[in-house]
Amino acid sequence: PDTLVAGFAAPLASTVDCPGLPDARLDWTTADSRVATIDATGRLTAVAAGETTVEARVAGVPGVAAQRPVRVT
């Protein structure tokens, strides 16, 4: 997993390559917001020590998503 120090933030890189959706956007979530939060632009903020998973879903396209584990120290 990617590791961040509590209190720091970093943007997550993302690319959407969906034919027929040139203006596709991502909806971001974290499994545990007590460990890390993520905003609409993909900026991840480490909140407290622990592990969580960040998920990016292509808005309006069911089943198209990617997950990434994150560890906060």
Side-chain angles (χ1 to χ4, degrees):
D2 292 322
T3 301
L4 290 171
V5 175
F8 285 86
L12 292 183
S14 61
T15 302
V16 178
D17 186 11
C18 288
L21 292 174
D23 297 324
R25 70 175 175 78
L26 293 174
D27 289 332
W28 297 93
T29 59
T30 59
D32 189 344
S33 62
R34 295 171 298 177
V35 175
T37 60
I38 193 158
D39 69 15
T41 67
R43 184 171 179 79
L44 182 68
T45 301
V47 176
E51 293 189 10
T52 189
T53 301
V54 173
E55 182 173 82
R57 291 189 169 275
V58 177
V61 183
V64 178
Q67 295 82 30
R68 186 174 185 167
V70 174
R71 177 180 295 132
V72 176
T73 58

